[in-house]
Amino acid sequence: MFEPLPQYPDHLGLEEEILAWWDAERVFDRLREQNRGAPPFSFLDGPITANNPMGAHHCWGRTLKDVFQRYKALRGFDQRYQNGFDCQGLWVEVGVERSLGLNSKREIEEYGLAEFAERCKERVAEYAEVITQQSRRLGMWMDWDNDYYTFSDTNIEYIWRFLKECHERGWLYLGHRSVEWCPRCGTSLSQHELMNSYAELSHPSLYVRFPLKGRKGEALVVWTTTPWTLPANVAAALKPDAEYGLTEDGGWWAVALKPDTPFSERVRGEELVGLEYEAPFESLPAQQGVVHRVIPWDDVDLTEGTGIVHIAPGCGAEDFELSRVHDLPVLTPIDEAGRFYKDYGEFEGRSTEEVEGPIVVELERRGLLVEATSAVHRYPICWRCATPLVFRIADDWMISADEIRQPMLDANATVEWTPDFYSKRMDDWLRNMGDWNISRRRYFGLPLPFYPCVSCGTLTVIGSLDELRERATGGFDQLEELHRPWIDEVPISCECGAEVRRVTEVGDAWLDAGIVPFSTLGWQNPEWKEHGYATGAAAGLTGADLPDHAYWEKWFPAHWVSEMREQIRLWFYSQCFMSVTLTGESPYRAVLTYEKLLDENGREMHRSWGNAIDAAEALQNIGADVIRFMFCDHVQSQNMKFGYGPAAEIRRRLLTYWNSVKFFVDYANIEGFRPGTEVPAEVQPLDRWLLERTEQLVAEITEQYERYWTRGVIRAFDSFVDDLSNWYIRRSRKRFWNGDQVALWTLWHALVRSVQVIGPVMPFLAEHLWRNLVAPLEGAPGSVFLAPWPEARERDEKLLAEVAEVRRVVELGRQARGDIKLRQPLRRLVVQGTGPSQKYVAEIAEELRVKEVEFGPIEVSELRVKPNLPVLGPKLGKELGPVRAALQAGEFEELEDGGFRVNGHDLSSDEVLVERTGREGWALAADEKLTVAVTTELDDELRLEGRVLDLIHRLNTMRKEAGLALTDRISVTLPQSDADLLAHKAWIKEEVLATEIRADGDTEVRITKV
Ligand SMILES: [Zn+2]
Ligand SMILES: [Zn+2]
């Protein structure tokens, strides 16, 4: 007996059950044992930040990772299954700050760095646990107790080695530059952190006069949307070869930007260069000694503003570059927290936003304000905390990208990207990447091992803990782990003998994630250390070993990695950078990337908009299999709409599959059917077809898994389920009613194979069905994941093509019938364009409920041809009119190739629009190859048969509603008015399992169980 299935699958219930069963039976462990020592499939997990519970979008990547790891395991590959957690850097810091109610660096320092580090570690431990539970619920199989944590001392030491290598190659330098700066986080950001991080913000838009010295009544008019930069103004730039004009009220503008204004004087920009002017805030202490001049700048924008640009080198990247060219003083008005320094008078201590009001008031009071409005524009914001960024001059540690760029491009050329155009995206990023800004002025992150000596100028870069121990002049005893504040208490001795302290900066978090192809695999580690990765902050959180170099040789590079597309400039980049530096090779061979998750209406998901869905919520309400199926069904290179609507749609789609299994179980149980392992000898043609079709499914789906293309997997599965349910089962119903063992075996076999190949996508449902259909059989593996992957054999392609064509004919026939329901028999059907399907006349006639089927040219259609105007108009010109008229009058000749000859012109099929309609009494439908026409006229015989079929349908519905078993017999009473139906008595009795039919009732049809 198979376990009877309910009408609908209880996804949530069966998933919980299977999870518990997997645990109890140690299925995952047994799978790993089974594959141990086999050829490796090396997957490297990109670390998830252990800072929050998972969102629905995290389920996307985790689904793909699990699908392909499961698939590779079924193919017998040995795998590592190491999950990774990202644990330090700004994400975690900002999360902890929020939870503690701290909102500035000063508050963190008052709270205490040691305490702050403890809170960060607690947060990571807490969310690592939450993420683990949620991932398990999603069905993700990982080696959960051996995760890597990027804040482990071992991970940090490996980064130190990389940095030392960069230093030895002369790539490391301290950049003095204008950088985008987050005033809340108090640190600069690097190029890869700036992409896509913009918001539409409203800023003041001011037109301000800069009075020219020695030219009474004349002033430059400048435009700015960042008034806070005016106190740091040192120059005004204009385009030397552009024309400038003086307005009646004495303002200089670029003529191009005030075209309708009468100017009293016009000059070329270069004639104004060198003039001195009064800057609006030149009386501030910071401005003392600055001579404000007009400078030339070819890049002045003449599409907005005034054509005269105010220059504050301390507040903008381009301005800073100009200061080098023209030797301008650089005034830095704001500190790390974005607040004005002391020598800025009344602005001291205020933020850039707080000074906007007072600046406008002051300009107004002094008659310098021409106009003040506000403008909305795209403005960069901090990707961690969403604070608008400002420019500051800062000293940041940089790694030069010049020498590594080409080797990285070469390495990327060896990588297989899915979809393949992402390879070009990676190339684009690599070609344009600037130097890597690796320093952050923060607390809980990778401590940069840089020790610059003030006495001799040497920069020492420490490459390991051992080296630090050797060079330390003290403080080593209190060094709990490689984090601030402890690491800051360990000075070293410079080679000149002086004692040197570490810089206080920590590292970009992408260093942490980028090093894992080395740190987790034991690169250059002489001997295996048990739990050797669980060092520093990671001690107690994981049991991960630090393997030896031989292990690294075996598992590096990864065969496959998968993360979302934005990781091109993040993890794919940092990993590649570090790996090419250390080994000259790409750390991965194949990449699958995917796009962004949107809500079901296509909007971005945001917690603050109330449309974000947590993973926990999605898993509780939708279930893991449906979520996984949804992600796999998606074209990975497109944004995906996610929500309860799309999930319900998937659940509906899966019902066809469920119903097919239920159908089998119901009939198999009636017959007491037990499947044997051999193909029965006496298979019928339809069985033979399903066996071939099943082989085709296995071959197609295997190919799609090999391509890492889940969408192809789902398509192959869907099309198989359609064939199975709407062809094999429907056409074999009678055999199942009659308990045909061969049909039962064939269906069982097809279902088992489908369960196996869809297992990686829907592990719970597949396991549930396997437990029912296969596991109880003698010698069968208890889990679908312990069974070997089915090997597809050669197929009878001819047979498959024949039936595929028959199914197309039937589908077109259904379309042609249109509104005429299938229970109404029709007289004739004509099919044009068929090949092998002609021997399936009986099947076609039965499926489409027609009496006669003919093959041959269809002369029952009316052909209407119209010009395809956008194509034909330009081609024919004046000739179009006559051609159009001839087409309309039907004066054309149909050509062999599907084109038409009209008025002496040969028109190809894409130059015309063709419409075929059935003549009076016929209906037709066509695709590019086949045309199917049916007669629509009914006679008495057809009408009567139509009523009989309606009755049969009704009686079977009544049987179901009365809860009768499939084998129960009934007696039927019809109203007297239906007595003519008794002409088909035997037919009706057979179809509804009736022992008797009478037509002596009143107005109702009645059935009774006998
Ligand atoms: Zn920030
Ligand atoms: Zn020194």
Side-chain angles (χ1 to χ4, degrees):
M1 275 290 274
F2 298 98
E3 188 72 34
L5 298 181
Q7 196 143 13
Y8 300 99
D10 170 16
H11 286 290
L12 300 174
L14 72 85
E15 288 174 8
E16 294 290 354
E17 216 171 275
I18 293 292
L19 276 175
W21 184 79
W22 280 341
D23 273 352
E25 297 290 319
R26 297 176 50 253
V27 176
F28 177 50
D29 291 341
R30 282 159 62 198
L31 172 68
R32 297 188 67 188
E33 282 155 23
Q34 198 169 292
N35 289 339
R36 190 154 296 147
F41 174 72
S42 179
F43 163 73
L44 186 67
D45 183 40
I48 182 170
T49 309
N51 183 45
N52 275 308
M54 278 161 57
H57 61 284
H58 289 113
C59 296
W60 190 342
R62 306 215 130 208
T63 291
L64 296 177
K65 292 172 182 183
D66 191 62
V67 164
F68 290 101
Q69 286 190 111
R70 279 182 190 264
Y71 167 71
K72 291 291 179 181
L74 286 167
R75 301 306 306 263
F77 286 96
D78 194 2
Q79 293 174 74
R80 298 180 59 243
Y81 296 105
Q82 189 176 35
N83 171 77
F85 289 115
D86 216 0
C87 316
Q88 55 187 12
L90 266 173
W91 269 133
V92 176
E93 284 198 37
V94 170
V96 170
E97 273 184 84
R98 280 197 188 131
S99 72
L100 293 174
L102 308 178
N103 201 29
S104 70
K105 286 168 71 171
R106 187 188 308 157
E107 286 172 18
I108 295 174
E109 283 173 18
E110 282 165 9
Y111 183 79
L113 293 197
E115 282 297 304
F116 188 71
E118 291 306 329
R119 297 296 89 74
C120 289
K121 289 193 281 179
E122 286 162 14
R123 189 176 177 92
V124 167
E126 178 185 347
Y127 286 108
E129 184 55 31
V130 171
I131 290 169
T132 300
Q133 290 316 321
Q134 294 178 332
S135 303
R136 294 173 93 118
R137 179 62 190 81
L138 182 66
M140 198 180 193
W141 270 352
M142 283 297 214
D143 187 6
W144 291 113
D145 298 326
N146 288 314
D147 316 272
Y148 70 79
Y149 285 75
T150 59
F151 60 17
S152 118
D153 277 1
T154 305
N155 210 64
I156 290 169
E157 273 193 90
Y158 268 96
I159 301 167
W160 282 8
R161 285 173 77 173
F162 162 77
L163 294 172
K164 191 179 170 80
E165 175 72 27
C166 291
H167 182 48
E168 281 166 6
R169 295 194 194 185
W171 296 352
L172 201 62
Y173 70 95
L174 190 62
H176 179 71
R177 316 177 311 152
S178 177
V179 290
E180 267 104 343
W181 187 276
C182 173
R184 201 215 65 86
C185 295
T187 188
S188 59
L189 291 90
S190 66
Q191 192 187 1
H192 54 240
E193 293 173 303
L194 289 167
M195 318 273 293
N196 305 329
S197 210
Y198 289 85
E200 301 281 328
L201 296 177
S202 174
H203 280 106
S205 165
L206 306 185
Y207 290 83
V208 184
R209 286 168 73 94
F210 286 4
L212 287 167
K213 289 188 177 167
R215 296 177 74 151
K216 205 166 163 31
E218 289 181 28
L220 306 168
V221 180
V222 304
W223 176 64
T224 181
T225 56
T226 50
W228 69 269
T229 60
L230 287 171
N233 171 270
V234 299
L238 44 69
K239 199 171 166 68
D241 57 357
E243 194 181 15
Y244 288 81
L246 187 62
T247 59
E248 275 170 7
D249 59 356
W252 283 99
W253 286 67
V255 171
L257 284 154
K258 250 185 167 355
D260 301 327
T261 310
F263 291 105
S264 58
E265 191 186 339
R266 291 175 182 234
V267 298
R268 277 167 65 83
E270 61 198 358
E271 293 177 49
L272 300 173
V273 167
L275 293 179
E276 289 179 19
Y277 65 89
E278 293 166 26
F281 296 98
E282 64 179 25
S283 59
L284 290 173
Q287 286 270 0
Q288 294 318 299
V290 177
V291 178
H292 300 88
R293 282 185 292 122
V294 178
I295 59 167
W297 185 26
D298 288 330
D299 293 340
V300 169
D301 181 9
L302 290 182
T303 60
E304 62 175 355
T306 66
I308 305 174
V309 182
H310 120 75
I311 302 295
C315 312
E318 290 171 319
D319 304 43
F320 184 72
E321 291 310 315
L322 283 173
S323 77
R324 297 194 163 177
V325 177
H326 296 283
D327 199 17
L328 304 173
V330 178
L331 304 184
T332 317
I334 52 171
D335 64 13
E336 288 194 351
R339 299 196 169 261
F340 276 77
Y341 283 118
K342 208 157 139 231
D343 46 356
Y344 285 80
E346 58 164 319
F347 306 132
E348 181 193 341
R350 301 203 208 177
S351 72
T352 55
E353 272 168 31
E354 287 164 357
V355 301
E356 279 171 2
I359 283 176
V360 171
V361 169
E362 180 64 10
L363 293 171
E364 177 90 81
R365 190 182 67 77
R366 287 166 39 202
L368 298 176
L369 196 59
V370 181
E371 192 188 316
T373 54
S374 61
V376 173
H377 53 181
R378 246 166 74 83
Y379 197 82
I381 56 173
C382 174
W383 73 308
R384 316 275 182 178
C385 72
T387 303
L389 302 180
V390 294
F391 274 97
R392 268 194 95 227
I393 304 299
D395 291 338
D396 279 320
W397 289 97
M398 311 288 294
I399 302 177
S400 164
D402 292 343
E403 284 180 33
I404 195 82
R405 188 185 316 277
Q406 191 55 48
M408 282 177 82
L409 283 162
D410 296 343
N412 189 46
T414 68
V415 177
E416 204 175 300
W417 289 77
T418 305
D420 58 4
F421 59 82
Y422 285 118
S423 172
K424 211 192 142 289
R425 296 272 188 93
M426 180 74 173
D427 277 351
D428 289 346
W429 167 256
L430 294 177
R431 280 202 190 91
N432 296 313
M433 70 176 170
D435 293 347
W436 187 355
N437 176 351
I438 54 165
S439 59
R440 303 288 181 273
R441 287 152 201 270
R442 297 292 304 189
Y443 309 102
F444 191 68
L446 158 82
L448 292 177
F450 302 159
Y451 296 79
C453 176
V454 278
S455 333
C456 74
T458 304
L459 170 66
T460 304
V461 176
I462 294 290
S464 70
L465 193 55
D466 284 344
E467 195 181 340
L468 181 67
R469 189 182 291 113
E470 272 165 34
R471 303 281 296 265
T473 55
F476 208 83
D477 294 343
Q478 56 82 53
L479 186 61
E480 297 181 18
E481 61 189 56
L482 297 181
H483 279 114
R484 300 184 70 186
W486 307 285
I487 185 75
D488 295 339
E489 301 307 317
V490 185
I492 64 160
S493 65
C494 177
E495 54 195 26
C496 75
E499 187 177 82
V500 191
R501 297 201 153 262
R502 194 185 75 85
V503 302
T504 54
E505 283 91 337
V506 296
D508 178 7
W510 295 104
L511 289 165
D512 303 332
I515 199 66
V516 298
F518 299 90
S519 59
T520 63
L521 300 178
W523 180 65
Q524 292 195 351
N525 182 40
E527 61 193 42
W528 192 296
K529 279 189 211 150
E530 207 177 332
H531 310 311
Y533 184 87
T535 49
L541 290 176
T542 173
D545 295 343
L546 177 62
D548 56 16
H549 189 75
Y551 184 86
W552 180 85
E553 292 276 357
K554 177 176 174 188
W555 294 97
F556 178 94
H559 290 109
W560 184 69
V561 292
S562 178
E563 303 293 333
M564 71 187 299
R565 191 250 303 155
E566 71 171 359
Q567 299 294 339
I568 283 177
R569 63 188 163 82
L570 303 169
W571 191 55
F572 297 139
Y573 150 79
S574 67
Q575 244 198 109
C576 184
F577 196 116
M578 297 172 97
S579 179
V580 171
T581 301
L582 297 176
T583 69
E585 238 188 295
S586 167
Y588 39 79
R589 288 185 187 155
V591 186
L592 171 63
T593 62
Y594 50 94
E595 287 289 327
K596 233 191 203 156
L597 199 68
L598 307 175
D599 75 8
E600 59 184 72
N601 300 313
R603 290 194 317 156
E604 292 208 18
M605 283 195 191
H606 288 288
R607 252 165 244 257
S608 56
W609 295 356
N611 65 346
I613 301 180
D614 287 338
E617 188 193 331
L619 286 162
Q620 265 162 30
N621 292 305
I622 301 174
D625 278 335
V626 172
I627 291 175
R628 294 169 65 114
F629 192 95
M630 208 179 333
F631 284 122
C632 289
D633 188 33
H634 188 70
V635 174
Q636 307 299 345
S637 53
Q638 295 171 2
N639 289 341
M640 173 169 172
K641 293 179 188 172
F642 182 91
Y644 294 112
E649 185 55 42
I650 300 284
R651 221 177 284 125
R652 258 196 303 282
R653 263 166 72 188
L654 289 174
L655 266 188
T656 311
Y657 185 56
W658 179 260
N659 287 337
S660 302
V661 188
K662 179 172 164 50
F663 179 89
F664 165 79
V665 168
D666 288 348
Y667 282 97
N669 282 347
I670 291 169
E671 289 304 316
F673 169 77
R674 295 298 283 173
T677 48
E678 296 295 313
V679 184
E682 57 288 1
V683 292
Q684 296 191 11
L686 198 57
D687 303 328
R688 213 167 72 69
W689 168 76
L690 183 59
L691 294 175
E692 295 303 311
R693 184 67 186 83
T694 304
E695 292 300 315
Q696 188 182 26
L697 166 75
V698 172
E700 283 178 357
I701 253 184
T702 305
E703 186 193 332
Q704 299 300 328
Y705 280 121
E706 289 295 327
R707 292 178 55 213
Y708 299 111
W709 197 238
T710 56
R711 167 78 162 174
V713 169
I714 301 298
R715 286 201 156 181
F717 179 74
D718 275 351
S719 133
F720 175 78
V721 170
D722 182 52
D723 276 347
L724 181 74
S725 162
N726 292 321
W727 195 250
Y728 183 78
I729 293 181
R730 229 164 37 74
R731 295 209 48 73
S732 310
R733 269 178 205 279
K734 286 236 168 75
R735 292 171 67 203
F736 289 105
W737 292 345
N738 296 330
D740 185 318
Q741 299 277 316
V742 178
L744 282 168
W745 188 90
T746 310
L747 178 55
W748 173 80
H749 172 79
L751 290 171
V752 170
R753 284 287 178 265
S754 66
V755 162
Q756 285 187 278
V757 295
I758 205 63
V761 173
M762 294 192 291
F764 297 101
L765 186 67
E767 190 74 297
H768 179 71
L769 297 178
W770 179 272
R771 304 273 315 128
N772 195 1
L773 297 179
V774 187
L777 304 180
E778 201 175 317
S783 163
V784 66
F785 297 103
L786 296 175
W789 189 256
E791 290 292 335
R793 57 162 167 78
E794 286 290 298
R795 291 166 302 284
D796 183 344
E797 298 291 351
K798 193 168 146 276
L799 175 61
L800 289 166
E802 279 169 19
V803 177
E805 190 179 88
V806 173
R807 292 218 60 200
R808 270 212 308 283
V809 169
V810 169
E811 184 45 43
L812 288 171
R814 291 224 177 93
Q815 282 175 30
R817 292 182 65 113
D819 292 339
I820 307 170
K821 60 186 175 191
L822 260 174
R823 287 201 295 276
Q824 176 59 60
L826 298 176
R827 187 60 63 190
R828 267 177 77 199
L829 174 99
V830 188
V831 189
Q832 177 185 307
T834 46
S837 61
Q838 299 198 11
K839 60 180 173 193
Y840 293 83
V841 175
E843 283 87 346
I844 293 171
E846 193 176 307
E847 283 293 314
L848 290 169
R849 200 97 63 198
V850 291
K851 300 282 180 189
E852 301 156 26
V853 176
E854 291 165 32
F855 296 90
I858 293 179
E859 282 154 10
V860 297
S861 67
E862 226 154 16
L863 189 60
R864 246 175 255 148
V865 185
K866 288 183 202 161
N868 184 358
L869 291 174
V871 183
L872 216 47
K875 176 177 164 182
L876 292 180
K878 272 190 236 154
E879 275 289 285
L880 183 67
V883 166
R884 189 209 291 250
L887 287 173
Q888 198 163 7
E891 293 160 5
F892 55 80
E893 186 188 334
E894 202 172 350
L895 301 175
E896 278 288 303
D897 62 359
F900 295 89
R901 180 163 300 153
V902 53
N903 268 16
H905 296 279
D906 280 358
L907 309 182
S908 67
S909 58
D910 53 357
E911 290 170 338
V912 289
L913 306 170
V914 180
E915 200 182 284
R916 286 178 204 274
T917 48
R919 287 205 182 138
E920 189 61 30
W922 288 82
L924 60 88
D927 64 13
E928 54 288 353
K929 197 170 155 262
L930 298 170
T931 308
V932 175
V934 286
T935 51
T936 53
E937 276 161 21
L938 301 180
D939 52 33
D940 288 347
E941 185 196 353
L942 294 174
R943 279 197 197 92
L944 184 66
E945 285 182 23
R947 283 173 56 219
V948 169
L949 285 160
D950 277 342
L951 176 66
I952 290 169
H953 176 73
R954 184 152 172 223
L955 291 172
N956 277 328
T957 309
M958 289 169 79
R959 285 183 60 108
K960 238 181 245 167
E961 283 167 2
L964 296 187
L966 291 170
T967 47
D968 288 340
R969 308 271 145 171
I970 54 169
S971 98
V972 178
T973 310
L974 303 179
Q976 281 167 3
S977 54
D978 280 346
D980 56 342
L981 298 181
L982 294 182
H984 291 291
K985 200 171 187 174
W987 177 19
I988 301 170
K989 278 162 97 173
E990 189 191 337
E991 295 285 340
V992 303
L993 290 191
T995 50
E996 193 193 2
I997 303 182
R998 294 198 316 270
D1000 55 1
D1002 47 20
T1003 52
E1004 297 287 319
V1005 175
R1006 288 179 210 287
I1007 61 170
T1008 346
K1009 187 179 158 188
V1010 294

